[in-house]
Amino acid sequence: MADGRGDPLLSVERSIAVLDLFTSRRGTLTLAEMQELLPWPRTTLHRYAHSLRQTGMLSYDTRRSRYRLGPKLVRLGAVALNGLPLAELAGPLLERLVRVTQVTALLTIWDGDAPLVVRENDNTDQLVSLKIREGSHLPAYDSAAGQVFLAFSPTARERFDSQQDPGADLAERERTLAAVRRDGLAYTEVLSGLRAYAAPVFQAGELVGAISILGTVSQLPEPGPSEPTTRLLAVCRRLTEALGEESPEEPGALTGGDLAPEALPRGSVAPK
């Protein structure tokens, strides 16, 4: 079996194949587990894993004999995520959202199995603020962003359903996701004392991201019309418009200096 030593392009392809073994659900792997997924000769696989360790692409836990993605990939991933057009457009809007709500704001995209945080802003005036690391994954269902993707993205929903226990409470899940589709807004209590809301961002009629706000129970109210959620919907509306999606409101309704919450009733972010 050719191992790519004499072919730089083959070596790159094989290195990528090794890195692709790691997912949000499969964060660490032993060499034996890697070989089950990628049936190469053990010596070949070990050589690639060692080379990737040397370059910082993989890290190795000697105590547990397990590999994980390395710090260089985290750094490169952060650079790539911040360079996405969606993230670039969302940056100023998240900053404004944080300024008017004084809670943490996140932009997420769907990353195969779960929402991936591509932009985070926690620059509030509060003494203590909540921080979610860019590049981290949120729960696919037990997060407000995850519920947005499951409600509006057939691809995300199909992937999620294929991995669920048949005994799960599907009826309750369907009621929750139906409410998200109806309101254009998802709500979860992340931990005791913490709440999160999320709303969808569309491009060409397709869901491309979700924006979330995260705060304490004293900062974010229980479900129902409120200033923070209306501001959130306004931001998602503006980002959808910036991506070229036709606006459901009259042109110029959101061209003012603030987020014009009065122009957006609940659920108005979904495209026609």
Side-chain angles (χ1 to χ4, degrees), residues 234-253:
V235 163
C236 291
R237 163 72 181 281
R238 279 198 169 181
L239 186 51
T240 292
E241 290 175 337
L243 292 168
E245 183 69 42
E246 182 182 356
S247 169
E249 297 286 334
E250 294 181 5

Side-chain angles (χ1 to χ4, degrees), residues 111-224:
D111 184 37
D113 295 318
L116 174 69
V117 179
V118 296
R119 184 61 67 94
E120 186 259 14
N121 190 309
D122 58 5
N123 190 27
T124 72
D125 295 330
Q126 305 298 315
L127 182 62
V128 177
S129 60
L130 302 172
K131 184 172 185 63
I132 306 294
R133 181 172 55 85
E134 291 180 358
S136 60
H137 288 88
L138 304 180
Y141 178 74
D142 295 324
S143 69
Q147 290 183 7
V148 166
F149 285 102
L150 297 181
F152 290 98
S153 170
T155 300
R157 181 61 187 274
E158 181 179 358
R159 177 66 173 171
F160 177 78
D161 287 347
S162 70
Q163 300 174 337
Q164 297 311 296
D165 185 339
D169 188 348
L170 300 181
E172 176 61 27
R173 184 181 300 156
E174 282 304 317
R175 285 193 291 270
T176 298
L177 297 180
V180 174
R181 284 189 290 270
R182 180 194 68 221
D183 299 336
L185 191 69
Y187 165 81
T188 57
E189 292 208 12
V190 187
L191 296 169
S192 178
L194 298 180
R195 290 176 176 150
Y197 287 91
V201 176
F202 297 94
Q203 183 177 30
E206 301 289 335
L207 181 72
V208 293
I211 292 179
S212 307
I213 50 176
L214 175 66
T216 65
V217 294
S218 63
Q219 294 172 313
L220 293 177
E222 293 183 347

Side-chain angles (χ1 to χ4, degrees), residues 20 25 60 77 167 241:
D20 276 343
R25 292 176 176 269
Y60 184 67
E241 290 175 337

